[in-house]
Amino acid sequence: MKIGHKLTLGFVGLTLLMAGLGYFALRTSQTTLEDAIGKNSADLAEQILDKISRNIHTRVEEMQAFTTCELAQQYLPLSNAQFENMSDPNGYIAQIDRDWVNGAELPIISEITHNELAIELRSRQKFYQNKYGYPLVGEIFVTNRYGANVSQTGRTTDYYQADEDWWQIAKRYGLSLSDIKYDESSGIFSTEIAIRIDDANGNFIGVIKAAPNIKETVNIINEAKLAAEYKTTQLHLINKNSKIIYSTKGYGFFEDVNNQIIPICAGLDQPRHKCYLVGEKVDGKGILFAHAHSHGYKDFKGLGWTLVTETDTAEIFAPIVDLRNTMLLAGVVIMGLALLASSITYRSIVVPIAELQKATIQIASGNLDTNLTKSGFGEIGQLANSFQRMAQRLKKTIEDLSDEVDGRKNTEAKLRQNEQFLGNIFDSIQDGIGIMDKDLNIIKTNPWLEETHRDSMPLIGKKCFKAYHNRDSACPDCPCVKTLNTGKPQTMIIPNPCKGIKAGWIELSAFPLKDQNGNITGAIEYIKDVTERNRIENALRESEVRLKTIFDNIQTGIFIIDPDTHKIVYANPIAAHLTNASQEQLVGSICHKYVCPAEKGRCPVTDLGQEVDNAERILLTVKGEKRAIIKTVVTITLDGRKHLLESFVDVTEHKKAELALEKLNKDLEAAVQELSRSNIQLQDFVHIAAHDLKTPVRGIGTLADWIISDYGKRFDDQGRNQLNLLKARVLRIDKLINGMLQFSKLVINKEKKRQVDLNMMVSEIIYGMSPSDKIEIAVDSLPDITCEYEHLELVFHNLLTNAITFMDKPKGLIKVGCVEQGDFWKFYVRDNGPGIDQKYFDKIFKIFQTLTSKDEPETTGIGLAVVKKIIELYGGKIWVESQPGSGSTFFFTFHRHIEEPVYAKTKANTAC
């Protein structure tokens, strides 16, 4: 190319360089703008997510505040107490839940949806709906600690909730917050908030669940869309499974758009909270994507949501595009001016350069002394001087070539050093290496091989079979021989045939040596000690033999099955017995011909891509008898491949025992029902008999009163004493009948149990008894306990009556108190009366047993028997400690477990 053309190209290149600088400035400006807008978009996404998180946190706080309200704290303990008093609360819940799920109209539904707590929940729903113009919370319901619904705003899909994951999480951790899902009960998309409810003492009493409407989150996103700087900005809220929660672009709920919305940034940005990038949509438009990951708010850790913004780059970079067009026009003008300048320059330097060209041709022909000083002026003259200096330097370079030859000699010396280095490596290898020519003559060995064959030294120049094995001819199976014949590497493992090598087993490997044309010129033989590897392989084979012995003798049926063909590759004797086939018949057969239920017709597990651990019950016919079998399938690795191992356990006898136990339980249940019926009949008989006895007894008493009133003066003292004695015995009989009725009716009615204030009860008993001024009764602070009020009232009334009745001291002292004793309260009633001899400690608690004359009407012998029965009904015990003349102390124990009362006084309801 001529220099004129080069100058022209130089000017053009300069112009292009300026254009490139302009383009670089544009790109820098665009990148800066893109970075600023991208960061702003990511910040916007983060702000929207923070607002959504704060909003969810507000709903959680509102529900947490509701758990401490008076209505929730009143209703849940009542419900828990009712279930506690049931004999089988789980069975009751299961029955209600089945009827509930099947759509039955149950009375309990109306009770749950119309009690005061349900009314309060609906009022909250209505308040938020009126405030926001749409149902803010789809449904709210409360369960007790058994998982049963207590109050709800509408009918839920089921009655029992404790089997739900959210219920268990709320109970364990206090809060369960699930991702967006469709709530079937309320018909809206919502999150699920479940919160544990505790009483004032921190005890778990239930769970409240609410379903906030997703529309609140949608409104936040729509407001942000309206306030966005760019019209093309679209917002997408995505859950942690890359499913759309809401999009301003019209995507549907839970639509999978992972390949359309920010596919690159989502994959690269896992460690960071937010990022942005410029991508390209399918239609070729440039899109700036930005997203942020939710990090929650305060103690709310977020739901793993991602907010993505997308904005058309055409709108963002419109100012940059205008600037680019302006600079492009300017570049075209500059290019034209550059071409004009290059043409003028070309004409001014062509002639001088032509003269310079002639001189340089002479220099090229070898005349290095050519004079170039008259070839031009100015810059051309300077160029000629430069060529002159170049010629002189070229002359000197030729002189320097001789020095280069000497340098190459030094290089050859270094190559020899490298060969020596490689030889050192060859000599240091701790396995045997020998190099043979085509005739099996040894041409090189390493020291290890020479050391192990000292008796055959020197090795080089000898035939390998003679030097190594002292043979007269080569072995046809020798790897070297096969390699020289085939041109391919050969390997074999054999017992050590060489006396000089200590190894028990060696691995011989041979590799061909070839020249540049591919012709075999010799072979390299490599000898390696594999004694330890061979020992491990033998141990593995022995282990397989032992495993087969175990399988053959184990009392469980075993199949090993090829997962590709489903054929049995091994069956032990027990498996053959259970399938009524021989081991020879089983091996090679399809497994489900013998061991799978007929209705399935295939193995339960065929996919080895997952971990296998399945069990099922099947029936097999063994010699005409149906046998119950439990089959278990697991994966094992055999010969480097996964196989199926099926085991079979005969549980027929166990199944028979289960059936027998089930029949025994049914018989026992029938006996219990019969006993209950007999007890009812006995109570009815006692009641009727007592009623029939009272009428004649009262008639006798009335007749005795008439005789004393009308004819008392006609009797002497003895006659009047006899009549008084008759009247006293009639009174005693009446008390005995009342005591028998009272004793027979002593059963626990769970619905009558409530929390009893013992201090108030004992005070009322003492007030009703009106003891004389000679008797002082002191009562320590007593606890509140849960029982039937009438039962404990009888206990304290009878014990205090006995203490007052038999007091023989001029100044009587009776003390009532209580102390803690493990899981029980230990109560006592102490007096300073006459005391009781130890031999009567057991007698006094038996019915109709007294220590005084039976003619005394106060002593029927039933009071302490009633006390003992009541205490034992509640799982406690009663005893007495006493000495004659030193008073008596009656002790009894009662469970400390205190529950909220079933029938509590109604308190004024206030909004909570």
Side-chain angles (χ1 to χ4, degrees), residues 305-318:
W305 292 352
T306 301
L307 187 75
V308 180
T309 70
E310 64 170 85
T311 307
D312 289 351
T313 56
E315 182 181 8
I316 296 173
F317 302 134

Side-chain angles (χ1 to χ4, degrees), residues 132-243:
Y132 294 100
Y134 61 88
L136 182 64
V137 180
E139 68 169 358
I140 310 175
F141 62 89
V142 180
T143 73
N144 61 17
R145 69 181 181 193
Y146 291 87
N149 290 343
V150 175
S151 292
Q152 56 192 38
T153 57
R155 180 165 178 169
T156 56
T157 55
D158 51 7
Y159 174 69
Y160 181 60
Q161 309 295 339
D163 56 347
E164 300 289 346
D165 291 340
W166 59 261
W167 196 94
Q168 295 293 336
I169 293 172
K171 177 183 177 182
R172 182 177 302 173
Y173 301 109
L175 173 64
S176 171
L177 189 58
S178 63
D179 208 338
I180 295 292
K181 62 175 65 173
Y182 182 74
D183 185 18
E184 296 180 359
S185 300
S186 56
I188 63 173
F189 287 92
S190 65
T191 55
E192 289 183 347
I193 300 174
I195 300 175
R196 171 188 172 116
I197 303 176
D198 293 332
D199 61 15
N201 297 323
N203 298 315
F204 171 68
I205 59 175
V207 173
I208 183 171
K209 178 187 174 186
N213 198 337
I214 186 61
K215 187 172 179 62
E216 193 171 18
T217 299
V218 170
N219 289 342
I220 293 174
I221 296 175
N222 286 336
E223 291 173 2
K225 170 70 169 66
L226 293 175
E229 181 180 358
Y230 298 102
K231 295 180 180 179
T232 58
T233 298
Q234 301 291 342
L235 303 175
H236 314 283
L237 184 61
I238 305 173
N239 67 12
K240 60 185 176 183
N241 297 320
S242 299
K243 304 291 185 182

Side-chain angles (χ1 to χ4, degrees), residues 560 565-571 583-591 593-594:
I560 297 178
T565 63
H566 289 192
K567 290 185 178 181
I568 301 170
V569 298
Y570 170 77
Q583 290 179 268
E584 292 75 13
Q585 290 175 322
L586 292 173
V587 175
S589 300
I590 301 298
C591 62
K593 176 181 177 182
Y594 296 97

Side-chain angles (χ1 to χ4, degrees), residues 46-59 220 294-297 300-303 305:
E46 183 181 37
Q47 292 169 9
I48 296 172
L49 274 180
D50 286 345
K51 188 173 182 180
I52 293 172
S53 297
R54 288 196 300 270
N55 184 68
I56 294 175
H57 183 265
T58 299
R59 299 294 163 251
I220 293 174
S294 172
H295 56 74
Y297 180 70
F300 167 56
K301 303 304 181 184
L303 296 172
W305 292 352

Side-chain angles (χ1 to χ4, degrees), residues 317-610:
F317 302 134
I320 298 296
V321 172
D322 295 338
L323 179 61
R324 181 187 62 194
N325 294 335
T326 302
M327 293 187 68
L328 181 62
L329 178 60
V332 171
V333 173
I334 293 174
M335 178 72 74
L337 295 175
L339 289 175
L340 179 62
S342 64
S343 176
I344 296 173
T345 304
Y346 174 79
R347 292 179 180 275
S348 63
I349 64 174
V350 168
V351 175
I353 289 179
E355 293 178 359
L356 181 63
Q357 183 180 13
K358 293 178 182 179
T360 55
I361 291 173
Q362 293 179 4
I363 293 174
S365 63
N367 186 7
L368 299 179
D369 296 326
T370 300
N371 188 3
L372 298 175
T373 57
K374 298 181 179 180
S375 297
F377 303 93
E379 289 81 6
I380 301 301
Q382 294 177 1
L383 181 61
N385 293 332
S386 298
F387 270 101
Q388 184 74 58
R389 289 192 296 272
M390 182 187 70
Q392 294 173 356
R393 290 174 182 173
L394 183 61
K395 182 177 180 181
K396 185 177 184 305
T397 300
I398 293 173
E399 295 173 352
D400 294 336
L401 286 176
S402 60
D403 298 332
E404 181 69 20
V405 173
D406 296 333
R408 291 192 177 187
K409 292 180 181 179
N410 295 332
T411 302
E412 290 177 356
K414 291 182 180 180
L415 288 175
R416 286 192 294 272
Q417 292 178 355
N418 290 337
E419 289 179 357
Q420 183 178 1
F421 176 73
L422 293 176
N424 293 335
I425 295 175
F426 180 81
D427 293 341
S428 64
I429 295 176
Q430 295 303 306
D431 292 320
I433 300 177
I435 301 176
M436 277 73 68
D437 60 16
K438 288 182 63 176
D439 298 324
L440 298 179
N441 294 314
I442 301 173
I443 59 177
K444 187 174 180 61
T445 62
N446 69 339
W448 187 92
L449 192 62
E450 293 175 357
E451 182 66 21
T452 55
H453 291 82
R454 287 183 178 181
D455 296 341
S456 301
M457 291 294 292
L459 296 176
I460 296 175
K462 294 183 179 179
K463 300 289 185 182
C464 63
F465 51 82
K466 183 67 175 177
Y468 296 162
H469 313 300
N470 197 23
R471 295 170 58 94
D472 295 331
S473 61
C475 175
D477 293 330
C478 177
C480 283
V481 175
K482 289 183 177 181
T483 295
L484 292 174
N485 293 334
T486 64
K488 297 180 180 180
Q490 301 290 328
T491 299
M492 65 184 300
I493 297 175
I494 59 173
N496 176 25
C498 304
K499 295 182 180 180
I501 300 177
K502 297 181 180 179
W505 289 81
I506 59 174
E507 180 182 77
L508 296 178
S509 300
F511 306 91
L513 293 175
K514 298 180 181 180
D515 58 17
Q516 295 179 351
N517 299 322
N519 299 320
I520 297 175
T521 60
I524 298 177
E525 186 176 52
Y526 186 83
I527 304 170
K528 183 176 181 62
D529 181 1
V530 293
T531 305
E532 181 62 20
R533 188 179 75 185
N534 193 64
R535 184 190 66 78
I536 294 173
E537 291 175 351
N538 290 334
L540 180 60
R541 285 190 289 271
E542 292 175 0
S543 175
E544 291 177 351
V545 171
R546 287 196 298 270
L547 183 61
K548 183 178 183 301
T549 303
I550 293 173
F551 281 171
D552 287 344
N553 292 278
I554 196 172
Q555 295 304 306
T556 299
I558 298 293
F559 279 173
I560 297 178
I561 301 169
D562 188 315
D564 297 329
T565 63
H566 289 192
K567 290 185 178 181
I568 301 170
V569 298
Y570 170 77
N572 70 346
I574 295 298
H577 171 72
L578 292 177
T579 55
N580 202 20
S582 65
Q583 290 179 268
E584 292 75 13
Q585 290 175 322
L586 292 173
V587 175
S589 300
I590 301 298
C591 62
H592 37 79
K593 176 181 177 182
Y594 296 97
V595 297
C596 288
E599 62 271 14
K600 290 189 177 180
R602 58 184 292 279
C603 287
V605 177
T606 59
D607 183 9
L608 290 182
Q610 299 178 352

Side-chain angles (χ1 to χ4, degrees), residues 688-758:
I688 293 170
H691 181 270
D692 292 343
L693 285 173
K694 276 190 173 184
T695 300
V697 168
R698 289 176 180 174
I700 294 171
T702 302
L703 181 59
D705 287 337
W706 288 350
I707 293 174
I708 293 173
S709 176
D710 296 343
Y711 304 100
K713 296 179 179 180
R714 300 182 184 183
F715 290 99
D716 55 12
D717 292 339
Q718 184 177 2
R720 283 191 292 272
N721 288 336
Q722 293 295 334
L723 286 174
N724 289 330
L725 181 59
L726 174 63
K727 185 176 180 179
R729 290 184 176 178
V730 168
L731 291 175
R732 187 172 187 274
I733 291 173
D734 187 63
K735 288 187 176 182
L736 282 171
I737 293 171
N738 290 333
M740 290 171 59
L741 282 173
Q742 192 179 68
F743 189 82
S744 66
K745 292 180 180 179
L746 288 178
V747 293
I748 293 179
N749 187 343
K750 293 184 179 180
E751 295 188 0
K752 289 186 178 182
K753 290 173 66 176
R754 62 187 175 98
Q755 193 174 15
V756 177
D757 184 347
L758 293 183

